[in-house]
Amino acid sequence: MIATRLKSASVAAIAACAAWGGLAQAATYDVTLSGVVANGGYSSQDIGNTHYDQWVLSLDGIDGDNPLTVEQGDTLNVTVTLDELFTIPGSMDLTTFVLFFGGPNFPGGDQASLGTFTFYNGLAEVATGGGGTGTSGQIAHSAAFFPPNNGPLTFDSIYASFTIDQLSAPATLDYSGISYTLFDIGAGGVPEPGTWALMILGFGGAGAMLRRRQALA
């Protein structure tokens, strides 16, 4: 585990070395990303009875010069290292956290992933969560923290391991990011899982990140 968490700006791919029955074997990729906390962006919005606070950070390590192409069945072991400690505030009702990837000409249809998240403060493990999501237009992996586990969370690195369970065609990834969303559900009741996925990746999410990257290009 310690070896996989060394700081680096590279992406190392461990490609499958064999094929069986004419079909390529699924690949496993060790991906190392980094982020500068001060570059994160914050937004908030009310939809119905629910208030959403969201923070999004673009990550370095995958870009146009260093893309990654993945297929259904591939596994990503991802280490994210931040330049300083960062705290996700506690939520009223629910906290979601997302690690997402995208790129040009992303295949149509839904994408689904399944795996885990582990958050670290230095070498100390501070939180874990099962992760999984289904969405369109990105490779996205999320975890949800309900009471009593939705309090403040301070960390400087993350290790996520997940398998792409659903993807209609190979996808070339040239950007990545992380995001949290705080839910204050009010009198509206707990949103349906499909609503979570929409809001996690909706306003202030990957679209805003892409606009910032394009403005800097």
Side-chain angles (χ1 to χ4, degrees), residues 69-82:
T69 299
V70 296
E71 301 183 27
Q72 180 171 299
D74 289 351
T75 296
L76 275 64
N77 299 320
V78 184
T79 300
V80 178
T81 303
L82 303 180

PDB file of all heavy atoms in Angstrom, residues 69-82:
ATOM      1  N   THR A  69      -6.478   4.885 -22.115  1.00  0.00           N
ATOM      2  CA  THR A  69      -7.628   4.275 -22.780  1.00  0.00           C
ATOM      3  C   THR A  69      -8.061   3.048 -22.009  1.00  0.00           C
ATOM      4  O   THR A  69      -7.246   2.166 -21.713  1.00  0.00           O
ATOM      5  CB  THR A  69      -7.290   3.901 -24.231  1.00  0.00           C
ATOM      6  OG1 THR A  69      -6.930   5.092 -24.944  1.00  0.00           O
ATOM      7  CG2 THR A  69      -8.493   3.258 -24.920  1.00  0.00           C
ATOM      8  N   VAL A  70      -9.342   2.978 -21.669  1.00  0.00           N
ATOM      9  CA  VAL A  70      -9.878   1.884 -20.857  1.00  0.00           C
ATOM     10  C   VAL A  70     -11.066   1.251 -21.561  1.00  0.00           C
ATOM     11  O   VAL A  70     -11.679   1.841 -22.446  1.00  0.00           O
ATOM     12  CB  VAL A  70     -10.302   2.392 -19.468  1.00  0.00           C
ATOM     13  CG1 VAL A  70      -9.101   2.893 -18.684  1.00  0.00           C
ATOM     14  CG2 VAL A  70     -11.359   3.488 -19.581  1.00  0.00           C
ATOM     15  N   GLU A  71     -11.384   0.021 -21.145  1.00  0.00           N
ATOM     16  CA  GLU A  71     -12.510  -0.717 -21.689  1.00  0.00           C
ATOM     17  C   GLU A  71     -13.319  -1.309 -20.548  1.00  0.00           C
ATOM     18  O   GLU A  71     -12.877  -1.352 -19.394  1.00  0.00           O
ATOM     19  CB  GLU A  71     -12.012  -1.845 -22.599  1.00  0.00           C
ATOM     20  CG  GLU A  71     -11.169  -1.401 -23.772  1.00  0.00           C
ATOM     21  CD  GLU A  71     -10.762  -2.559 -24.664  1.00  0.00           C
ATOM     22  OE1 GLU A  71     -11.509  -3.565 -24.703  1.00  0.00           O
ATOM     23  OE2 GLU A  71      -9.717  -2.471 -25.309  1.00  0.00           O
ATOM     24  N   GLN A  72     -14.510  -1.791 -20.881  1.00  0.00           N
ATOM     25  CA  GLN A  72     -15.336  -2.498 -19.900  1.00  0.00           C
ATOM     26  C   GLN A  72     -14.560  -3.676 -19.346  1.00  0.00           C
ATOM     27  O   GLN A  72     -13.915  -4.421 -20.082  1.00  0.00           O
ATOM     28  CB  GLN A  72     -16.627  -2.970 -20.557  1.00  0.00           C
ATOM     29  CG  GLN A  72     -17.566  -3.716 -19.611  1.00  0.00           C
ATOM     30  CD  GLN A  72     -18.907  -3.967 -20.248  1.00  0.00           C
ATOM     31  OE1 GLN A  72     -19.622  -3.036 -20.607  1.00  0.00           O
ATOM     32  NE2 GLN A  72     -19.264  -5.236 -20.407  1.00  0.00           N
ATOM     33  N   GLY A  73     -14.603  -3.845 -18.031  1.00  0.00           N
ATOM     34  CA  GLY A  73     -13.897  -4.933 -17.367  1.00  0.00           C
ATOM     35  C   GLY A  73     -12.554  -4.539 -16.804  1.00  0.00           C
ATOM     36  O   GLY A  73     -11.995  -5.269 -15.976  1.00  0.00           O
ATOM     37  N   ASP A  74     -12.003  -3.397 -17.233  1.00  0.00           N
ATOM     38  CA  ASP A  74     -10.716  -2.951 -16.707  1.00  0.00           C
ATOM     39  C   ASP A  74     -10.855  -2.501 -15.255  1.00  0.00           C
ATOM     40  O   ASP A  74     -11.916  -2.052 -14.818  1.00  0.00           O
ATOM     41  CB  ASP A  74     -10.159  -1.798 -17.538  1.00  0.00           C
ATOM     42  CG  ASP A  74      -9.680  -2.228 -18.915  1.00  0.00           C
ATOM     43  OD1 ASP A  74      -9.620  -3.455 -19.170  1.00  0.00           O
ATOM     44  OD2 ASP A  74      -9.378  -1.336 -19.738  1.00  0.00           O
ATOM     45  N   THR A  75      -9.748  -2.599 -14.524  1.00  0.00           N
ATOM     46  CA  THR A  75      -9.681  -2.159 -13.137  1.00  0.00           C
ATOM     47  C   THR A  75      -8.707  -0.998 -13.023  1.00  0.00           C
ATOM     48  O   THR A  75      -7.614  -1.039 -13.597  1.00  0.00           O
ATOM     49  CB  THR A  75      -9.240  -3.298 -12.218  1.00  0.00           C
ATOM     50  OG1 THR A  75     -10.228  -4.334 -12.239  1.00  0.00           O
ATOM     51  CG2 THR A  75      -9.056  -2.821 -10.780  1.00  0.00           C
ATOM     52  N   LEU A  76      -9.097   0.040 -12.290  1.00  0.00           N
ATOM     53  CA  LEU A  76      -8.234   1.181 -12.024  1.00  0.00           C
ATOM     54  C   LEU A  76      -7.912   1.235 -10.538  1.00  0.00           C
ATOM     55  O   LEU A  76      -8.816   1.243  -9.696  1.00  0.00           O
ATOM     56  CB  LEU A  76      -8.902   2.491 -12.444  1.00  0.00           C
ATOM     57  CG  LEU A  76      -8.768   2.927 -13.906  1.00  0.00           C
ATOM     58  CD1 LEU A  76      -9.456   1.952 -14.840  1.00  0.00           C
ATOM     59  CD2 LEU A  76      -9.309   4.342 -14.097  1.00  0.00           C
ATOM     60  N   ASN A  77      -6.610   1.224 -10.222  1.00  0.00           N
ATOM     61  CA  ASN A  77      -6.128   1.465  -8.870  1.00  0.00           C
ATOM     62  C   ASN A  77      -5.543   2.867  -8.864  1.00  0.00           C
ATOM     63  O   ASN A  77      -4.498   3.119  -9.464  1.00  0.00           O
ATOM     64  CB  ASN A  77      -5.063   0.444  -8.480  1.00  0.00           C
ATOM     65  CG  ASN A  77      -5.592  -0.974  -8.505  1.00  0.00           C
ATOM     66  OD1 ASN A  77      -6.729  -1.220  -8.093  1.00  0.00           O
ATOM     67  ND2 ASN A  77      -4.796  -1.916  -8.978  1.00  0.00           N
ATOM     68  N   VAL A  78      -6.222   3.797  -8.201  1.00  0.00           N
ATOM     69  CA  VAL A  78      -5.912   5.214  -8.337  1.00  0.00           C
ATOM     70  C   VAL A  78      -5.447   5.793  -7.004  1.00  0.00           C
ATOM     71  O   VAL A  78      -6.136   5.675  -5.991  1.00  0.00           O
ATOM     72  CB  VAL A  78      -7.140   6.010  -8.832  1.00  0.00           C
ATOM     73  CG1 VAL A  78      -6.769   7.471  -9.075  1.00  0.00           C
ATOM     74  CG2 VAL A  78      -7.715   5.377 -10.103  1.00  0.00           C
ATOM     75  N   THR A  79      -4.267   6.434  -7.018  1.00  0.00           N
ATOM     76  CA  THR A  79      -3.774   7.177  -5.867  1.00  0.00           C
ATOM     77  C   THR A  79      -3.826   8.660  -6.184  1.00  0.00           C
ATOM     78  O   THR A  79      -3.285   9.101  -7.200  1.00  0.00           O
ATOM     79  CB  THR A  79      -2.328   6.785  -5.522  1.00  0.00           C
ATOM     80  OG1 THR A  79      -2.284   5.394  -5.218  1.00  0.00           O
ATOM     81  CG2 THR A  79      -1.818   7.570  -4.330  1.00  0.00           C
ATOM     82  N   VAL A  80      -4.499   9.432  -5.342  1.00  0.00           N
ATOM     83  CA  VAL A  80      -4.589  10.890  -5.491  1.00  0.00           C
ATOM     84  C   VAL A  80      -3.865  11.521  -4.305  1.00  0.00           C
ATOM     85  O   VAL A  80      -4.187  11.232  -3.152  1.00  0.00           O
ATOM     86  CB  VAL A  80      -6.047  11.369  -5.517  1.00  0.00           C
ATOM     87  CG1 VAL A  80      -6.099  12.898  -5.611  1.00  0.00           C
ATOM     88  CG2 VAL A  80      -6.817  10.734  -6.658  1.00  0.00           C
ATOM     89  N   THR A  81      -2.889  12.384  -4.582  1.00  0.00           N
ATOM     90  CA  THR A  81      -2.150  13.084  -3.533  1.00  0.00           C
ATOM     91  C   THR A  81      -2.383  14.579  -3.664  1.00  0.00           C
ATOM     92  O   THR A  81      -2.162  15.158  -4.731  1.00  0.00           O
ATOM     93  CB  THR A  81      -0.642  12.791  -3.631  1.00  0.00           C
ATOM     94  OG1 THR A  81      -0.431  11.374  -3.553  1.00  0.00           O
ATOM     95  CG2 THR A  81       0.111  13.461  -2.493  1.00  0.00           C
ATOM     96  N   LEU A  82      -2.838  15.212  -2.593  1.00  0.00           N
ATOM     97  CA  LEU A  82      -3.052  16.658  -2.569  1.00  0.00           C
ATOM     98  C   LEU A  82      -1.829  17.364  -1.998  1.00  0.00           C
ATOM     99  O   LEU A  82      -1.041  16.769  -1.258  1.00  0.00           O
ATOM    100  CB  LEU A  82      -4.280  16.987  -1.726  1.00  0.00           C
ATOM    101  CG  LEU A  82      -5.591  16.312  -2.163  1.00  0.00           C
ATOM    102  CD1 LEU A  82      -6.727  16.722  -1.226  1.00  0.00           C
ATOM    103  CD2 LEU A  82      -5.934  16.633  -3.605  1.00  0.00           C
TER     104      LEU A  82
END
